[in-house]
Amino acid sequence: MWLGWLQVGAILASSVAVAKESGIAHSPPYYPSPWASGPGEWAEAYAKARQFVSELTLAEKINLTTGVGWMQEACVGNVGSIPRLGFPSLCMQDSPLGIRFADYVSAFPAGINVGATFSKQLAYLRGKAMGEEHRGKGINVQLGPAIGPIGRSPDGGRNWEGFSPDPVVSGHLVAETIKGIQDSGVIACAKHFIANEQERFRQAGEAQGYGFNISESSSSNIDDVTMHELYLWPFADAVRAGVGSIMCSYTQINNSYGCGNSYAMNKLLKGELDFQGFVMSDWQAQHSGVSSALAGLDMSMPGDTVFGTGLSFWGTNLTIAVANGTVPEWRVDDMAVRIMSAYFKVGQDKNQVPTNFNSWTRDEYGFEHALVQQNYRRVNEKVNVRGQHASLIRKIGAASVVLLKNNGVLPLKGTEKFTAVIGEDAGPNLWGPNGCPDRGCDNGTLAMGWGSGTADFPYLITPVEAIQSEILSKGEGNIVAVFDNAAKSQIASVASQATVSLVFVNADSGEGYISVDRNEGDRNNLTLWKGGDELIQTVASNCNNTIVVMHTVGAVLVNEWYDNPNVTAILWAGLPGQESGNSITDVLYGRVNPGAKSPFTWGKKAEDYGAPILREPNAGTDAPQIDFKEGIFIDYRAFDKNNNTPVYEFGFGLSYTTFSYSDLKVEILHTRPYTPTEGITEPAPSLGNSSHDFSSYLFPNSVEKVRLYIYPWLNSSDPARASGDPHYGMDPDDYLPPGATDGSPQPLLPAGGAPGGNPSLYDDIYRVSATITNDGKVTGDEVPQLYVSLGGKKDAKIVLRDFERFTLAPGQQVVWTTTLKRRDISNWDPAEQNWVVTKHRKKVYVGSSSRKLHLKARLPRLRGGDD
Ligand SMILES: *[C@@H]1O[C@H](CO)[C@@H](O)[C@H](O)[C@H]1NC(C)=O
Ligand SMILES: *[C@@H]1O[C@H](CO)[C@@H](O)[C@H](O)[C@H]1NC(C)=O
Ligand SMILES: *[C@@H]1O[C@H](CO)[C@@H](O)[C@H](O)[C@H]1NC(C)=O
Ligand SMILES: *[C@@H]1O[C@H](CO)[C@@H](O)[C@H](O)[C@H]1NC(C)=O
Ligand SMILES: *[C@@H]1O[C@H](CO)[C@@H](O)[C@H](O)[C@H]1NC(C)=O
Ligand SMILES: *[C@@H]1O[C@H](CO)[C@@H](O)[C@H](O)[C@H]1NC(C)=O
Ligand SMILES: *[C@@H]1O[C@H](CO)[C@@H](O)[C@H](O)[C@H]1NC(C)=O
Ligand SMILES: *[C@@H]1O[C@H](CO)[C@@H](O)[C@H](O)[C@H]1NC(C)=O
Ligand SMILES: *[C@@H]1O[C@H](CO)[C@@H](O)[C@H](O)[C@H]1NC(C)=O
Ligand SMILES: *[C@@H]1O[C@H](CO)[C@@H](O)[C@H](O)[C@H]1NC(C)=O
Ligand SMILES: *[C@@H]1O[C@H](CO)[C@@H](O)[C@H](O)[C@H]1NC(C)=O
């Protein structure tokens, strides 16, 4: 099933030709892999890393790059250690919303809720808090935040792990999250790079398990403009924010695997974006040894070719590949320098806590090497790392509730005579909040999707618990809850007695290795689960004050009931994490005035989104071809383009107060013209001159081998035997593209030059300001949004460029001042391979949603070089 790297290498070389001939998308080779250079804020860490790596032997460097194998150490991924220097194994742990596979940790709101807050500050605070927890458990790398999938298709299973299908919301919030995590001394890992937009077909084996006979992962075929203006955009922000690591993805891009794609990793990420940290593979997303090393991969996770084989594309093989001269040592030096730069950058040399938990057991005692059940000892110290994070979680939970409809019934007082709480989603999972592994079920209230992007709940406040306490603390109201969605007559009866009925409904999704109600990661439809629509109808036909609360992973179709006059209010609460009930109650009863905005569009029908996931293989048993034909037109850009009216637009959200907008001002800031980056790099630094004598890498006698563990050493001085690869020794010229091993100075890319891309892309070109006033009677939050129209025929009608969340007292005004940077008014020019400001007249808008653009102005033309 798994091809050896040579075969893959050979296939890669020939597949380019095949792809060219057959007309299927192909990814152009881009070599050599750019070496780190330590610019700007990386300088100090880079210098330390270089010094550190210069002192390592080849085997020690290889240890830093290669995982020791699935379930062989405490974390979901660990690399080898360097015992000679007392340097412990680096620990990588899921997830983007907390610590997976651990106890005494917090379950934070999901990324999509952070998206809904539109709050850079809350994104930072959540990142900081998550980082503190990871640090406290002795984790080096938190495997998050997620910005891919970005959410091309609303039915994509893992969209909720990220922030929004808008690249600017994603970009701002990923940057703040990364800063938060890394300020806590933990390396963040932005993932998945790139175009990993659906679960189905992401891995051939997984797809086969669902009855699809395909031999390779699907290919996301994306043109260069779409790549830059949409999918790469938030990664640029992540790199600019100093992210220490990036995870390459399962999917192929233009028929070349994400973790072996030189164009994606070498050119886009390390060339153009000047990424200085390290690229790690997704778990089992590596498909080749030499090829992936030269294409820009820096760390193999979890190290084994296939979980539990004890064999690796790297480890022994990478040592041999350097010793036999196929992979230049500078490339391995660069991998190690990148890994250690990230380590030093976040200060792990000063304050790293030893790992004190074990992913594979919640017991105190267990096996150090769980896979092979070796070395029974104390593995879980049960360290409580939750700190005071519950209050932040509750706050973000409330700050992310989007009020979609309110006929004046909210906020409630708590003194209502009879409150009905209806729906399974209001109550507990009868199997316990963690009763389904990796949250792989939809039992009880939904506060997290499923898959690796999860954490165990330390507790989960259900809506009904919080609502009941609220009502009992306020007076004498009745509160009656019915959790069984199928109990139609009981529900009708309770609803008909109620002064107010709170109906809780949900829709779930998750990662592809778990199927819930036959949703194999991705959602099968955009409707509510568990008969949610019918449930709402039943309540609404019996109660003229029906309030709907939705816990969903993304957009659902609400046509059947949203405009029913008996549905007096609608709230979207997303996936709020452990404080779910408290957060929604804060909003329902008015302690918190809702200020969130929908981070995605609510369409009238699924087709309106334009880019559904590919559901059937379309290339026989070859890789399914997912053509991103819609280009940049996803979510609101698609609705605008096709003149489809949504039910609730992107950026929309009500408040208990009202706001007005006035005084748009735009001025040109003096700025230097855009200067394409020129020049050449230094040659690849060579930090070692290791022996080419294979016998110098034999297993030392002193090593007590752990079974199926991945080491950097050889078991024979005959490299073909030690590798065990039947194709060992193939001539690299037969499969490696020209220049792949060239360590001489290389030209810099015009769009590159600094982390995040050409620094002058971030020059402030215009200053824009607008006044926002709270016209109502209560304090509330508003999120003014700045959109730009780039003016070209191929451009979206408008694109979001910035936003800010303000709290305003009644009558209070704020002048929001922001800037448009060069990147914000540029388009990607594929011929120039650079950003350009086109001649098309551009407009700027400030409004309260993507369709409530209260203020607008033309952007004054720029003098000089730009047009
Ligand atoms: C994919 O192919 C398109 C069309 O040829 C090209 O514009 C784009 O740069 C390629 N991207 C990658 C990552 O190979
Ligand atoms: C590589 O890491 C393993 C596991 O931690 C360790 O046993 C071994 O000694 C390390 N090898 C070297 C060369 O440091
Ligand atoms: C899958 O496809 C391959 C290649 O076409 C074929 O040889 C094999 O029999 C198929 N397997 C199944 C289970 O259909
Ligand atoms: C080396 O890599 C090949 C695949 O390219 C694999 O078949 C072999 O088992 C690996 N060897 C070791 C020792 O891990
Ligand atoms: C060098 O080593 C690698 C890793 O085992 C192997 O795949 C490759 O075939 C070897 N190349 C030569 C020319 O011996
Ligand atoms: C929990 O979810 C599982 C999987 O969907 C389902 O089979 C089971 O019936 C549910 N249990 C309860 C008590 O709801
Ligand atoms: C959509 O999927 C959910 C979850 O599997 C299911 O409960 C619901 O019945 C489906 N809706 C339709 C219209 O098929
Ligand atoms: C609204 O609720 C009342 C009961 O309060 C019911 O008589 C009426 O039929 C409902 N209207 C709709 C449109 O369901
Ligand atoms: C519902 O109907 C009752 C009785 O007719 C009325 O007093 C109440 O104001 C109505 N509530 C809403 C929200 O329309
Ligand atoms: C590396 O070592 C070899 C053999 O000892 C020597 O010939 C060569 O000059 C060295 N190269 C460097 C760059 O030090
Ligand atoms: C050495 O490694 C190769 C490749 O993994 C394996 O086939 C062979 O059995 C190993 N030999 C010994 C003596 O461990």
Side-chain angles (χ1 to χ4, degrees):
M1 179 172 97
W2 293 87
L3 299 163
W5 70 264
L6 274 172
Q7 289 163 282
V8 171
I11 286 165
L12 283 178
S14 62
S15 72
V16 171
V18 171
K20 274 180 182 157
E21 274 163 35
S22 66
I24 64 167
H26 82 278
S27 197
Y30 187 90
Y31 294 93
S33 190
W35 35 93
S37 57
E41 60 174 38
W42 284 87
E44 194 186 327
Y46 172 77
K48 286 185 191 168
R50 235 176 115 142
Q51 179 58 36
F52 183 88
V53 173
S54 328
E55 282 160 22
L56 301 183
T57 66
L58 179 59
E60 287 166 343
K61 290 187 272 197
I62 302 291
N63 248 11
L64 283 177
T65 69
T66 306
V68 297
W70 178 242
M71 291 179 74
Q72 288 285 32
E73 288 291 342
C75 304
V76 296
N78 279 85
V79 293
S81 61
I82 305 174
R84 185 176 63 89
L85 302 177
F87 186 82
S89 155
L90 300 178
C91 156
M92 334 296 147
Q93 192 71 6
D94 295 315
S95 77
L97 59 62
I99 302 172
R100 184 185 182 206
F101 292 154
D103 43 18
Y104 306 98
V105 299
S106 301
F108 288 86
I112 195 74
N113 283 62
V114 181
T117 67
F118 278 72
S119 168
K120 298 167 192 172
Q121 188 206 11
L122 290 176
Y124 176 83
L125 292 174
R126 172 174 167 275
K128 187 114 195 297
M130 291 195 302
E132 282 163 12
E133 296 202 4
H134 281 78
R135 199 178 92 74
K137 288 283 186 186
I139 293 162
N140 296 86
V141 183
Q142 174 177 2
L143 301 176
I147 40 175
I150 196 172
R152 169 183 185 255
S153 315
D155 37 2
R158 296 180 78 177
N159 297 352
W160 56 272
E161 293 186 40
F163 305 106
S164 166
D166 181 83
V168 169
V169 174
S170 276
H172 281 298
L173 300 181
V174 80
E176 294 302 322
T177 304
I178 288 163
K179 287 178 199 161
I181 293 170
Q182 297 197 159
D183 282 356
S184 291
V186 170
I187 299 169
C189 177
K191 65 186 192 177
H192 305 83
F193 191 75
I194 194 171
N196 191 93
E197 294 292 325
Q198 63 176 63
E199 294 304 285
R200 181 165 294 207
F201 312 139
R202 66 180 186 150
Q203 296 184 96
E206 191 176 275
Q208 287 155 15
Y210 291 128
F212 298 107
N213 189 7
I214 57 167
S215 55
E216 302 290 339
S217 300
S218 54
S219 175
S220 297
N221 305 325
I222 304 194
D223 68 84
D224 204 26
V225 170
T226 303
M227 177 62 93
H228 281 86
E229 295 188 7
L230 180 55
Y231 296 95
L232 193 61
W233 185 288
F235 281 100
D237 291 302
V239 172
R240 195 167 146 82
V243 72
S245 69
I246 285 186
M247 188 189 290
C248 54
S249 64
Y250 289 121
T251 189
Q252 303 192 71
I253 306 113
N254 289 1
N255 292 294
S256 166
Y257 274 101
C259 296
N261 189 313
S262 64
Y263 197 88
M265 292 189 289
N266 285 346
K267 182 171 190 195
L268 298 177
L269 185 56
K270 291 182 173 177
E272 198 178 308
L273 298 186
D274 203 19
F275 174 54
Q276 297 291 315
F278 61 99
V279 180
M280 75 168 80
S281 70
D282 201 341
W283 271 232
Q284 275 183 181
Q286 186 184 14
H287 295 265
S288 63
V290 170
S291 302
S292 62
L294 297 174
L297 184 68
D298 302 303
M299 183 186 278
S300 166
M301 274 292 129
D304 29 21
T305 50
V306 172
F307 290 170
T309 56
L311 300 171
S312 180
F313 291 110
W314 285 4
T316 302
N317 270 317
L318 191 53
T319 305
I320 297 174
V322 172
N324 74 18
T326 306
V327 170
E329 190 166 7
W330 64 255
R331 179 71 268 271
V332 171
D333 291 343
D334 182 54
M335 295 174 187
V337 165
R338 286 170 174 277
I339 293 164
M340 292 310 299
S341 294
Y343 175 92
F344 287 118
K345 185 168 191 287
V346 303
Q348 291 184 348
D349 53 326
K350 297 188 201 94
N351 58 9
Q352 189 59 26
V353 175
T355 307
N356 55 40
F357 75 106
N358 188 289
S359 296
W360 321 112
T361 181
R362 289 304 86 73
D363 296 343
E364 191 174 349
Y365 286 81
F367 293 103
E368 183 180 348
H369 312 295
L371 179 76
V372 292
Q373 309 252 295
Q374 265 177 254
N375 201 7
Y376 191 80
R377 63 174 179 89
R378 187 167 183 232
V379 293
N380 182 11
E381 293 168 30
K382 299 183 177 281
V383 179
N384 182 0
V385 292
R386 285 163 40 205
Q388 305 303 309
H389 301 158
S391 60
L392 177 66
I393 291 168
R394 178 174 183 163
K395 186 172 178 183
I396 296 172
S400 56
V401 172
V402 183
L403 180 62
L404 295 168
K405 177 178 180 179
N406 183 14
N407 285 358
V409 295
L410 289 179
L412 298 169
K413 296 192 171 57
T415 53
E416 291 76 17
K417 240 178 146 165
F418 192 121
T419 301
V421 178
I422 309 287
E424 183 180 328
D425 185 70
N429 177 353
L430 297 185
W431 288 0
N434 305 313
C436 307
D438 290 338
R439 311 295 79 76
C441 65
D442 185 30
N443 297 357
T445 196
L446 183 68
M448 212 182 270
W450 76 75
S452 66
T454 54
D456 275 6
F457 290 104
Y459 59 82
L460 172 54
I461 308 281
T462 61
V464 73
E465 288 173 276
I467 293 165
Q468 176 154 312
S469 319
E470 185 81 29
I471 288 169
L472 299 186
S473 73
K474 293 259 173 74
E476 287 136 34
N478 280 11
I479 162 155
V480 175
V482 184
F483 299 136
D484 181 352
N485 287 9
K488 207 168 166 175
S489 63
Q490 288 82 354
I491 289 167
S493 156
V494 170
S496 66
Q497 300 168 60
T499 338
V500 55
S501 293
L502 297 164
V503 192
F504 286 82
V505 289
N506 68 35
D508 202 355
S509 75
E511 191 171 353
Y513 66 92
I514 297 175
S515 169
V516 177
D517 200 20
R518 292 202 230 127
N519 296 264
E520 294 156 357
D522 305 314
R523 279 190 282 169
N524 290 334
N525 61 58
L526 295 187
T527 54
L528 290 167
W529 287 35
K530 307 227 162 173
D533 287 317
E534 199 188 339
L535 181 71
I536 295 167
Q537 307 270 30
T538 302
V539 177
S541 57
N542 289 285
C543 176
N544 69 349
N545 190 12
T546 300
I547 295 172
V548 176
V549 178
M550 294 185 279
H551 289 117
T552 71
V553 289
V556 291
L557 303 178
V558 297
N559 305 326
E560 288 182 24
W561 45 265
Y562 80 96
D563 55 358
N564 181 328
N566 282 0
V567 173
T568 48
I570 303 174
L571 305 99
W572 177 80
L575 305 168
Q578 71 192 40
E579 288 280 328
S580 178
N582 286 334
S583 297
I584 193 66
T585 307
D586 285 344
V587 172
L588 289 171
Y589 295 92
R591 270 187 301 281
V592 170
N593 187 347
K597 302 283 184 174
S598 183
F600 48 78
T601 300
W602 299 70
K604 286 182 181 155
K605 48 187 197 301
E607 299 74 55
D608 289 354
Y609 290 90
I613 66 160
L614 180 72
R615 293 193 180 267
E616 294 298 326
N618 60 1
T621 54
D622 291 344
Q625 300 293 306
I626 308 176
D627 295 325
F628 284 37
K629 279 185 290 217
E630 71 290 340
I632 59 163
F633 297 96
I634 65 168
D635 202 72
Y636 68 90
R637 304 168 181 205
F639 281 76
D640 286 348
K641 182 178 189 223
N642 302 320
N643 268 327
N644 281 321
T645 307
V647 179
Y648 303 114
E649 71 271 19
F650 171 86
F652 173 76
L654 299 167
S655 164
Y656 298 153
T657 183
T658 55
F659 299 93
S660 63
Y661 284 68
S662 59
D663 283 332
L664 180 64
K665 294 202 180 85
V666 180
E667 64 178 301
I668 298 187
L669 297 169
H670 292 286
T671 178
R672 58 199 158 95
Y674 187 47
T675 33
T677 295
E678 287 171 357
I680 56 168
T681 67
E682 296 287 304
S686 188
L687 307 182
N689 188 7
S690 296
S691 168
H692 292 269
D693 173 5
F694 298 108
S695 64
S696 54
Y697 302 110
L698 288 171
F699 270 91
N701 291 330
S702 57
V703 169
E704 260 186 74
K705 283 195 209 174
V706 177
R707 220 159 52 77
L708 298 176
Y709 202 88
I710 294 166
Y711 294 98
W713 293 298
L714 282 59
N715 68 2
S716 161
S717 54
D718 170 357
R721 283 198 52 165
S723 161
D725 187 334
H727 302 276
Y728 183 87
M730 193 170 155
D731 183 351
D733 289 345
D734 289 348
Y735 63 93
L736 289 181
T741 59
D742 184 359
S744 68
Q746 298 295 314
L748 294 168
L749 294 171
N758 190 317
S760 43
L761 289 171
Y762 299 92
D763 289 345
D764 293 324
I765 306 288
Y766 296 103
R767 178 180 294 133
V768 182
S769 65
T771 301
I772 297 97
T773 308
N774 182 346
D775 297 328
K777 294 191 175 62
V778 287
T779 295
D781 285 10
E782 175 64 331
V783 179
Q785 301 158 40
L786 184 156
Y787 294 85
V788 161
S789 157
L790 292 166
K793 279 207 189 75
K794 291 181 181 162
D795 288 322
K797 187 172 169 202
I798 52 166
V799 285
L800 182 72
R801 285 302 185 242
D802 201 9
F803 54 86
E804 198 59 67
R805 183 164 174 152
F806 293 104
T807 301
L808 296 176
Q812 194 185 344
Q813 284 195 337
V814 67
V815 178
W816 178 39
T817 303
T818 182
T819 61
L820 282 169
K821 301 186 189 307
R822 188 186 313 273
R823 181 172 72 144
D824 295 327
I825 53 164
S826 295
N827 285 86
W828 180 254
D829 184 330
E832 291 284 317
Q833 283 295 294
N834 209 343
W835 295 92
V836 296
V837 178
T838 66
K839 288 191 183 346
H840 306 295
R841 284 315 296 267
K842 304 187 191 321
K843 291 191 193 116
V844 60
Y845 307 84
V846 174
S848 57
S849 83
S850 61
R851 294 199 168 208
K852 300 201 171 49
L853 305 169
H854 307 299
L855 310 173
K856 67 171 175 220
R858 283 188 147 197
L859 284 176
R861 273 196 192 281
L862 296 174
R863 286 165 310 237
D866 270 314
D867 13 358

